[in-house]
Amino acid sequence: MSRIIGIDLGTTNSCVAVLDGSSVEIVPSDLGGRTTPSIVAFAANGERVLGQVAKRQEVTNAANTISAVKRLMGRRYDSDEIQKIASFLTYAIVPSDNGDVRISVRDREYSPPEISAMLLQHLKLLAENHLGEPVTEAIVTVPAYFDDSQRQATKDAGRIAGLEIRRIINEPTAAALAYGLGKSERERIAIYDLGGGTFDISILELHQGVFEVVSTCGDSFLGGEDIDRAIVDWMVAGFRAETGIDLSADILARQRLKESAEKAKCELSFEPRARISLPFIASGPAGPRHLDRTLEREEFERLAAPLIERTTGFCHKAMEDAGLTPADIGKVILVGGQTRTPAVQRHVEAVFGQPPSLEVNPDEVVAVGAALQGGVLRGDLRDIVLLDVVPLSLGVETQGGLFTRVIEHNSTIPLRKKNIFTTVADHQTVVEVHVVQGERDLARHNRSLGKFELVGIQPAPRGVPQVEVAFDMDANGILSVSARDLLSGREQAVRITPSTGLGKDEIDRMVAEAREFGENDRKSRELTELRNRIQARAAVLVRSYLALGSLLDAADQKMLNEALRRARELGPEDGDAETLGELLDLVEAGASRLSEAVMSSPGEGQGGDPGGTEKPETGMRNLMKAALDDMEHT
Ligand code: AMP
């Protein structure tokens, strides 16, 4: 049975971990880091680059570099959250036919799950390279406060990537598992998770392998990205006051501002001030203009305070829902890179009346927990039970636009709940059921998940038909709904019209494309490797040939000249597998001819020069021979 990897698919960075025996290993990124930037970029030739490599070209290719796609998952284009960040993005977003967000890159539109799928494919490949075995299954984490559409979108991303998501677990629950595994005493902990894009607070009880979430609360649109934005706004305002130039309209400038804002923010976790220097950020009537400012920690904390303060209400609500006060919480664990900011840590201390515990690595703990859950599902880890909860109430819209709850928030999952509904008019044969998620009393203020039409209800006076609607919430926190007409005892036909998300046909198309792209990526990597090998070998050969080519006969010289010319003229897009293979053979044949000629020329084959009497020409030949031998290893 192959291993199940644990993936923390973060807004800013992602992390992959895998259980190896009794310990968890972090899978290194392609450039050797422990986390991978959650960034996908599209080059002019259609090639995709991901992770660290994509981050490196972010400034020069801003409009085609997609970061923080998690913020767009399962969201409607016209939602307040998306409208708030649209002007801050360096890439273009547009609405889809059903109102979801689409990302527009050159002449194509991508759904957020498609971009997430590219990240998942990349992380899968990293794990496969590291483990030396195929990976087909994963546990993927999501913020506890992700609603049904956001979870569905994450599942869709897994399907598109060809990765079976065995379980979606909540980030704080994964963190609690990593923290609490092996601890035997009963503990009540709070997990304060402030990442790049989301904030969650969860309260859990841990006892001998049982990890029970008691309550959870949060905001899936509050995180480090918002703090970066506050710094960018501060820089833009300062620059405008100084020069009259508005930097916010310039995509390239915005990308540079964003990058330096994040860098300054991270520096301010350790230093009292951070210098931000962006030469040639704009040009005005007086020539090029440079931005050079120092951000004092005090000023930074003033900018970040309203955002950090927004977490307070959620913490109180989570405690209130659990029937607890700060004194009942044994420990507060910090998760998410943004909790490294000292002002965040002070804030947590003020809310909970105790300094937070810094004993877990906030960047890796979620992936570690996911890998442990993979071990639980495979049966490698026993006697561990995760009891998670529904983050937001689920129900239906009833007469007058009211929201009627079927499942209350903080109910333990998985669970199944039924409610009886009836008609509002005489002889009504069709009932529309609108499924909604949220905490507001009017349905229109909550999140619309989809609509059902129950057709073929037996005509009867209003209030008589009894339609049983069952809500099933699985362990991933994903909902499915079914309905039955109790009067006739027959199952009713249920038509679901999801108000958001990808349709089956769209997903199938994306799965095929991702597979093809994965195959294309693999082929294009193989061709690039072939070209690199040809050029590396030709570079060694050319030096030897210049020095010793005269030892070859005319026909071999011609062959070698031709091989070296073709290798020199080889462009980054040139040649298919066959022609490149032929060229590599030609270069290698030339090298072995030269090697043979060197070996059979007078003065060779003496086996070193112990007396130090070697002629300079022979020494040169030995060196050349060594170079040609080296070629074998390039
Ligand atoms: P995560 O989603 O957990 O990867 O958290 C990413 C967020 O943490 C980003 O907004 C980062 O800028 C932020 N972050 C990472 N390291 C630090 C640091 N040393 N100080 C402040 N924020 C940080």
Side-chain angles (χ1 to χ4, degrees):
M1 196 178 11
S2 68
R3 285 190 267 191
I4 305 176
I5 56 173
I7 300 181
D8 170 9
L9 189 59
T11 308
T12 317
N13 296 301
S14 296
C15 185
V16 186
V18 64
L19 184 64
D20 185 21
S22 58
S23 63
V24 174
E25 260 190 298
I26 299 291
V27 171
S29 77
D30 43 2
L31 299 182
R34 292 173 73 82
T35 58
T36 299
S38 306
I39 303 179
V40 178
F42 298 86
N45 63 3
E47 245 178 60
R48 293 193 312 229
V49 284
L50 291 108
Q52 202 67 50
V53 182
K55 190 172 170 67
R56 283 188 177 170
Q57 53 82 79
E58 209 172 9
V59 167
T60 51
N61 185 26
N64 305 304
T65 301
I66 319 302
S67 58
V69 72
K70 189 169 170 181
R71 306 202 103 185
L72 313 179
M73 292 284 273
R75 298 264 176 200
R76 292 185 68 78
Y77 179 79
D78 57 8
S79 63
D80 287 351
E81 292 92 347
I82 296 299
Q83 289 311 309
K84 249 191 276 165
I85 59 158
S87 64
F88 189 61
L89 297 174
T90 53
Y91 50 90
I93 54 170
V94 293
S96 72
D97 292 346
N98 69 355
D100 285 352
V101 179
R102 288 280 187 275
I103 296 145
S104 173
V105 182
R106 297 208 174 89
D107 53 353
R108 257 209 74 167
E109 282 175 16
Y110 296 91
S111 70
E114 258 178 302
I115 301 287
S116 283
M118 293 171 195
L119 289 168
L120 286 174
Q121 264 181 327
H122 179 68
L123 299 171
K124 169 175 164 358
L125 200 69
L126 288 178
E128 286 176 339
N129 289 344
H130 178 69
L131 297 170
E133 62 186 42
V135 168
T136 54
E137 296 177 322
I139 306 289
V140 176
T141 60
V142 296
Y145 226 60
F146 251 24
D147 67 21
D148 192 77
S149 309
Q150 292 167 306
R151 283 164 201 266
Q152 289 281 7
T154 306
K155 255 218 136 169
D156 290 346
R159 274 171 68 193
I160 297 167
L163 195 59
E164 191 195 335
I165 299 189
R166 283 288 299 274
R167 185 69 56 84
I168 289 183
I169 58 171
N170 292 334
E171 288 161 9
T173 318
L177 181 55
Y179 160 80
L181 193 72
K183 294 190 166 65
S184 54
E185 327 76 80
R186 183 181 286 277
E187 257 190 281
R188 189 179 292 127
I189 61 170
I191 305 260
Y192 182 101
D193 181 358
L194 189 60
T198 57
F199 169 69
D200 281 325
I201 177 80
S202 295
I203 295 175
L204 291 102
E205 307 247 3
L206 318 185
H207 183 51
Q208 295 189 331
V210 178
F211 296 76
E212 184 177 3
V213 181
V214 190
S215 67
T216 190
C217 207
D219 185 339
S220 58
F221 224 84
L222 172 62
E225 293 266 328
D226 301 296
I227 297 183
D228 300 347
R229 188 179 172 176
I231 302 176
V232 169
D233 288 347
W234 171 82
M235 290 195 271
V236 168
F239 195 74
R240 196 186 299 118
E242 204 176 287
T243 64
I245 300 173
D246 180 12
L247 292 175
S248 60
D250 175 351
I251 287 191
L252 187 63
R254 252 174 28 217
Q255 184 58 48
R256 290 178 69 194
L257 290 167
K258 186 168 170 289
E259 203 179 52
S260 55
E262 191 195 356
K263 202 161 148 269
K265 174 187 77 176
C266 293
E267 240 172 87
L268 288 166
S269 294
F270 311 100
E271 305 291 341
R273 60 190 59 84
R275 173 144 180 233
I276 302 171
S277 173
L278 293 167
F280 301 98
I281 189 79
S283 66
R289 305 301 301 246
H290 318 295
L291 187 151
D292 195 351
R293 299 196 71 176
T294 297
L295 181 57
E296 300 288 336
R297 192 187 268 186
E298 210 181 343
E299 177 72 2
F300 163 67
E301 291 185 352
R302 197 186 57 72
L303 296 171
L307 294 159
I308 300 173
E309 181 52 43
R310 265 173 58 195
T311 66
T312 316
F314 300 116
C315 296
H316 288 311
K317 177 85 172 56
M319 284 187 276
E320 191 186 306
D321 284 351
L324 302 171
T325 66
D328 301 315
I329 309 288
K331 211 177 250 181
V332 187
I333 314 265
L334 298 182
V335 176
Q338 191 54 65
T339 58
R340 290 213 172 85
T341 290
V344 172
Q345 297 177 4
R346 287 202 311 273
H347 184 73
V348 173
E349 181 167 354
V351 172
F352 288 93
Q354 60 177 298
S357 154
L358 303 175
E359 65 192 275
V360 302
N361 178 327
D363 301 323
E364 296 174 5
V365 67
V366 171
V368 170
L372 291 172
Q373 175 67 8
V376 172
L377 291 192
R378 261 172 54 109
D380 297 338
L381 291 177
R382 291 177 196 283
D383 302 324
I384 289 175
V385 183
L386 282 192
L387 295 173
D388 225 316
V389 295
V390 182
L392 291 154
S393 301
L394 289 144
V396 295
E397 178 174 354
T398 48
Q399 221 191 349
L402 289 179
F403 175 47
T404 302
R405 288 171 172 78
V406 177
I407 294 180
E408 290 286 342
H409 73 287
N410 286 332
S411 306
T412 302
I413 56 171
L415 90 164
R416 180 179 167 87
K417 277 216 124 166
K418 296 174 193 164
N419 258 29
I420 306 288
F421 294 93
T422 188
T423 51
V424 290
D426 290 339
H427 311 302
Q428 190 179 336
T429 57
V430 178
V431 174
E432 188 187 74
V433 180
H434 182 196
V435 182
V436 178
Q437 184 165 28
E439 302 307 329
R440 307 278 297 271
D441 290 331
L442 289 182
R444 70 168 186 280
H445 292 145
N446 291 323
R447 182 65 188 257
S448 165
L449 296 182
K451 287 185 175 163
F452 293 78
E453 257 188 9
L454 308 180
V455 297
I457 294 173
Q458 279 188 3
R462 67 183 196 149
V464 174
Q466 292 202 307
V467 179
E468 183 189 80
V469 178
F471 276 45
D472 268 289
M473 166 114 340
D474 68 13
N476 300 307
I478 290 182
L479 179 74
S480 56
V481 183
S482 57
R484 207 154 61 96
D485 179 3
L486 294 184
L487 229 56
S488 67
R490 286 200 319 262
E491 287 283 331
Q492 288 293 306
V494 174
R495 284 206 302 267
I496 305 174
T497 326
S499 45
T500 59
L502 298 170
K504 184 178 175 308
D505 290 353
E506 274 180 299
I507 291 185
D508 289 347
R509 175 183 58 76
M510 290 170 188
V511 169
E513 267 182 26
R515 224 180 264 144
E516 194 186 316
F517 232 111
E519 183 58 12
N520 282 351
D521 285 354
R522 189 185 57 73
K523 281 194 189 136
S524 108
R525 194 170 37 247
E526 278 171 12
L527 293 183
T528 307
E529 277 168 11
L530 257 178
R531 284 185 208 104
N532 291 346
R533 214 176 318 148
I534 291 168
Q535 283 170 337
R537 291 183 178 207
V540 177
L541 180 58
V542 82
R543 290 198 301 275
S544 317
Y545 180 55
L546 286 175
L548 300 164
S550 58
L551 296 173
L552 292 170
D553 64 25
D556 283 346
Q557 283 190 14
K558 193 162 171 247
M559 185 262 278
L560 239 153
N561 271 330
E562 172 65 6
L564 291 173
R565 183 192 60 76
R566 282 178 59 192
R568 190 176 60 244
E569 288 172 2
L570 196 62
E573 308 281 324
D574 289 346
D576 55 20
E578 197 179 332
T579 48
L580 291 173
E582 270 170 24
L583 182 52
L584 184 61
D585 288 347
L586 202 61
V587 170
E588 283 179 346
S592 62
R593 285 291 157 72
L594 192 56
S595 185
E596 281 159 24
V598 170
M599 292 301 289
S600 59
S601 73
E604 269 307 324
Q606 310 300 316
D609 183 29
T613 56
E614 188 183 46
K615 279 188 273 174
E617 191 196 337
T618 315
M620 177 73 156
R621 285 180 187 178
N622 282 340
L623 280 177
M624 289 302 156
K625 186 173 164 301
L628 289 167
D629 287 345
D630 254 7
M631 247 180 68
E632 294 304 310
H633 308 291
T634 49

